[in-house]
Amino acid sequence: MNSLSRVLERRPLRVNLTLGFSVLLAFAVGVGLINLQSQIHLIREIETLYQQEMLGVGNAKDAQMQYLLLGRELRQAALLGPGIEREKSLKTVAEIDDRLATELKELRPRLTTDSDIRLLTTFQAEYQAYKSNVQKAVGMMAQGN
């Protein structure tokens, strides 16, 4: 340390200031590059979180909403007498079913945990049974029952 002090004392002030500024500038650039690398990593993590988690939650909520709308619209069709209004309701039931299938299809690749995948598989199996009952109800309505 003493030898460094002696070397710096022998140099002119301009050289010492230039050397100090250069070291400080190199330190600032190094910290800036590390910060930039960290920000790039955080941006990638946030994008992954958005693509996987947030859109997945949105798909799950939309699927849940479609499922509820399906039951409501089927009940509405059952309450209506035979005619054009019932046909509209039954057409809406088919459209809602298509939207629900689309939401579930978009949801599957966004699931990351095994428990979520199992829950979705269980729901889809149960939904197939529900859908079968819906088809029976629609058939009974078509017969006028």
Side-chain angles (χ1 to χ4, degrees):
M1 187 71 178
N2 284 336
S3 63
L4 180 63
S5 264
R6 285 187 202 138
V7 168
L8 290 176
E9 286 175 2
R10 291 182 190 159
R11 299 200 180 265
L13 182 60
R14 184 180 343 164
V15 172
N16 287 341
L17 289 174
T18 304
L19 182 62
F21 180 71
S22 298
V23 169
L24 187 61
L25 182 63
F27 179 73
V29 168
V31 168
L33 290 174
I34 291 170
N35 186 23
L36 182 63
Q37 184 181 14
S38 295
Q39 285 182 359
I40 289 170
H41 177 72
L42 283 174
I43 288 170
R44 286 184 189 143
E45 288 291 321
I46 289 171
E47 182 67 25
T48 300
L49 179 67
Y50 174 74
Q51 289 295 328
Q52 294 294 334
E53 303 295 329
M54 295 302 290
L55 292 179
V57 167
N59 288 129
K61 287 293 184 186
D62 288 344
Q64 183 182 25
M65 184 183 72
Q66 297 303 322
Y67 182 71
L68 295 172
L69 287 174
L70 181 69
R72 189 183 81 191
E73 196 63 37
L74 185 63
R75 183 176 61 246
Q76 185 66 26
L79 292 174
L80 293 171
I84 295 172
E85 292 300 320
R86 179 181 277 177
E87 293 302 319
K88 283 183 189 177
S89 274
L90 293 177
K91 184 178 178 185
T92 303
V93 166
E95 290 170 359
I96 291 171
D97 184 52
D98 290 341
R99 286 193 302 257
L100 178 59
T102 301
E103 291 298 334
L104 293 175
K105 192 165 97 174
E106 289 178 7
L107 175 63
R108 182 165 287 282
R110 292 191 170 112
L111 297 178
T112 55
T113 63
D114 291 336
S115 64
D116 289 343
I117 293 170
R118 277 194 307 267
L119 287 171
L120 180 62
T121 304
T122 302
F123 172 77
Q124 286 179 319
E126 295 294 326
Y127 179 66
Q128 288 303 319
Y130 177 76
K131 193 173 174 181
S132 173
N133 289 335
V134 167
Q135 293 303 323
K136 287 178 189 175
V138 169
M140 290 174 68
M141 282 186 238
Q143 294 174 357
N145 296 334

